[in-house]
Amino acid sequence: MIQNKFYSNFFDVPVGDNGAAYMQRLFSFARWIFGISLVITVLITIYLYVYIRMTKMFAATSGMMYVAKYVTTTHMVLVAILLVVQTFCYRRFRAMGVKTIQTGQEAVFNLAFKWLVRHGIATLVLLIVELINMVFQLFLNIHLLQQAQTAR
């Protein structure tokens, strides 16, 4: 257990009407987050299908293009999985938050924050995956640019 006074007194702080309204607003985003995540996941699946077909049609001009094909595919699959995980965690947070507001159960409120933390972890992992992908894509493009300049 955490012995910090802040954490033990957290639930002694009353939530006013403004705070409750902000929580309700936060919970209302869940439908939008779920819908947009679903659309993005479907688009990623379509993109991967087209991308894999396209790369089969064109022969890889270098070993780097071969690597890029698998890195891009892996990246897109990871993004799709992480979006589903994020959405699931946020929906659990929302459901428990709404239940807390309706019933006033402190234990459910504590569990809701567990799901919010998991959502934050999934977001952090997604950002790291995106950072790694950006570094790789930058490296790949610089490499291809150098190859194009030496071919002239």
Side-chain angles (χ1 to χ4, degrees):
M1 296 275 319
I2 299 173
Q3 298 299 322
N4 189 327
K5 190 173 187 174
F6 169 77
Y7 293 107
S8 63
N9 292 331
F10 183 74
F11 289 103
D12 293 337
V13 177
V15 176
D17 290 338
N18 285 342
Y22 283 127
M23 288 294 284
Q24 288 285 20
R25 217 168 144 207
L26 177 66
F27 297 150
S28 70
F29 291 139
R31 284 187 211 102
W32 285 100
I33 291 170
F34 177 74
I36 292 170
S37 295
L38 185 64
V39 168
I40 290 171
T41 303
V42 169
L43 289 175
I44 286 171
T45 304
I46 294 168
Y47 171 81
L48 284 174
Y49 174 76
V50 171
Y51 182 78
I52 290 170
R53 287 198 57 168
M54 183 186 70
T55 55
K56 286 181 181 178
M57 290 173 57
F58 299 101
T61 56
S62 71
M64 198 61 150
M65 292 303 292
Y66 183 77
V67 170
K69 173 183 164 182
Y70 289 99
V71 168
T72 300
T73 303
T74 303
H75 167 256
M76 297 305 278
V77 168
L78 283 174
V79 167
I81 290 169
L82 287 168
L83 279 172
V84 169
V85 169
Q86 276 185 305
T87 302
F88 176 77
C89 291
Y90 188 79
R91 285 180 60 94
R92 294 293 300 158
F93 166 69
R94 178 195 179 275
M96 291 182 158
V98 168
K99 187 175 180 181
T100 298
I101 289 173
Q102 292 171 348
T103 63
Q105 295 176 342
E106 181 180 316
V108 176
F109 197 50
N110 289 335
L111 288 175
F113 280 113
K114 177 178 83 170
W115 287 103
L116 186 60
V117 167
R118 288 179 178 175
H119 176 269
I121 291 168
T123 302
L124 180 61
V125 171
L126 180 61
L127 289 173
I128 291 168
V129 166
E130 289 299 324
L131 177 65
I132 291 169
N133 182 59
M134 282 294 120
V135 169
F136 174 78
Q137 294 296 334
L138 182 62
F139 171 75
L140 173 68
N141 289 329
I142 290 170
H143 177 75
L144 291 174
L145 209 94
Q146 288 173 344
Q147 277 186 341
Q149 287 177 347
T150 56
R152 286 184 185 182

